[in-house]
Amino acid sequence: VDFGASDGPMTDQQLAEFKSKHGGAEVLHFPVVLGADVATYNIPGVTSELNFTPEALAGIYLGKITKWNDPAIARANPQVRLPNTDIIVVHRSDGSGTTYCWVDYLAKVSPDWKKSVGVGTSVNWPVGLGGKGNEGVMGLVKQTPGAIGYVELTYSIQNNVPYGRVRNAAGHFVKADLASVTAAAAGAARNMPADFRVSITNAPGAAAYPISTFSWLLIPNRIEDARKREVMIGFLHWMLTTGQGMNAALSYAPLPKKVVAQETKAIALIH
């Protein structure tokens, strides 16, 4: 392929492997949008937007919280009558950046998750059913009473299914939307590393949605075909300028201006 894209940045090991296989060429990371993972669910008789604590989400995905009326969920939702029914956990069956964002968050809020499962685009899930792609996870949640799954924000909106608020690092239950995802990136914009590989899950700030992420284009720094190189550079410039105006309609947040300026300079690394 000529380039890739992911919500999970490549690891140091993956970057080194690419470099060794491609004569010293490197992969550059260019953030192009800001997105979020949301917890969507199908609980018969419950249409409310639920509140999820970090402990509840980690407990559910570790298989330790198995009923919808478990105190860990009920305490955060006193206004909702939750049923004494099984929670059916749904996760991705394929490796994905969406999974990376989700488990990166769980590893930050749960020492148990960090120790026993860890972080990656694919992990050994303690419990649950696998669905391929965001579409597969959404399909399983919609057709399975009692299910919970994680998908990109845009999929919940497109399918008109409820998704929960999540308690952030400041202690506030926050709903994923353009404003709260933008708030999560505020700190990263001030301290963006030169290679743009940065995690913004569980970000500080009262308004920040805690399961937010950049989406990166993965582009080799060396493109031998001059015409292809010209097209790739032009595409990147468009993504960072005019293309940013298309994000909101697709439920993605635009990049902070400071990040765009930093990336525009980095395009010169493609040769």
Side-chain angles (χ1 to χ4, degrees):
V1 299
D2 297 308
F3 69 97
S6 180
D7 288 352
M10 293 173 69
T11 64
D12 290 346
Q13 181 181 345
Q14 288 169 331
L15 290 172
E17 287 174 358
F18 181 92
K19 191 172 184 178
S20 67
K21 290 178 181 177
H22 295 84
E26 299 180 350
V27 176
L28 304 174
H29 286 65
F30 287 95
V32 286
V33 297
L34 281 161
D37 282 6
V38 297
T40 186
Y41 44 87
N42 173 6
I43 312 171
V46 175
T47 56
S48 307
E49 291 178 355
L50 296 181
N51 291 326
F52 290 107
T53 64
E55 296 79 14
L57 290 176
I60 289 168
Y61 272 80
L62 283 166
K64 295 182 176 181
I65 295 174
T66 60
K67 298 287 186 181
W68 276 111
N69 65 347
D70 186 286
I73 304 172
R75 277 195 300 268
N77 298 278
Q79 77 288 359
V80 182
R81 180 171 291 183
L82 293 163
N84 183 30
T85 53
D86 291 340
I87 298 174
I88 310 299
V89 175
V90 182
H91 56 72
R92 288 284 286 268
S93 59
D94 54 327
S96 78
T98 308
T99 290
Y100 183 94
C101 175
W102 186 255
V103 299
D104 181 56
Y105 168 71
L106 293 181
K108 286 183 180 179
V109 299
S110 168
D112 193 358
W113 183 276
K114 185 176 182 179
K115 180 181 178 182
S116 62
V117 184
V119 179
T121 53
S122 187
V123 298
N124 291 319
W125 297 99
V127 66
L129 308 173
K132 187 172 183 180
N134 281 286
E135 303 91 339
V137 171
M138 180 59 69
L140 274 173
V141 171
K142 289 180 76 172
Q143 70 189 29
T144 309
I148 183 172
Y150 61 90
V151 294
E152 288 187 47
L153 170 62
T154 186
Y155 285 85
S156 275
I157 293 173
Q158 289 171 358
N159 286 274
N160 195 30
V161 295
Y163 60 93
R165 297 181 182 88
V166 181
R167 196 184 72 207
N168 66 12
H172 302 289
F173 286 100
V174 177
K175 185 175 181 178
D177 56 25
L178 299 186
S180 62
V181 173
T182 299
R190 291 191 294 270
N191 302 289
M192 178 64 75
D195 65 4
F196 301 105
R197 291 187 299 156
V198 63
S199 168
I200 57 171
T201 54
N202 208 38
Y209 178 71
I211 320 180
S212 299
T213 183
F214 286 105
S215 287
W216 293 268
L217 288 188
L218 311 175
I219 301 172
N221 71 332
R222 201 162 65 209
I223 302 176
E224 305 293 346
D225 184 323
R227 175 60 182 153
K228 192 175 286 185
R229 182 170 63 247
E230 180 185 333
V231 169
M232 195 71 244
I233 289 172
F235 177 55
L236 250 181
H237 275 294
W238 178 86
M239 290 281 275
L240 296 173
T241 54
T242 307
Q244 291 296 301
M246 300 178 70
N247 289 353
L250 299 168
S251 302
Y252 292 95
L255 297 171
K257 288 184 172 59
K258 185 176 180 182
V259 175
V260 170
Q262 194 173 334
E263 287 188 69
T264 302
K265 292 179 182 177
I267 293 176
L269 296 172
I270 301 173
H271 61 275

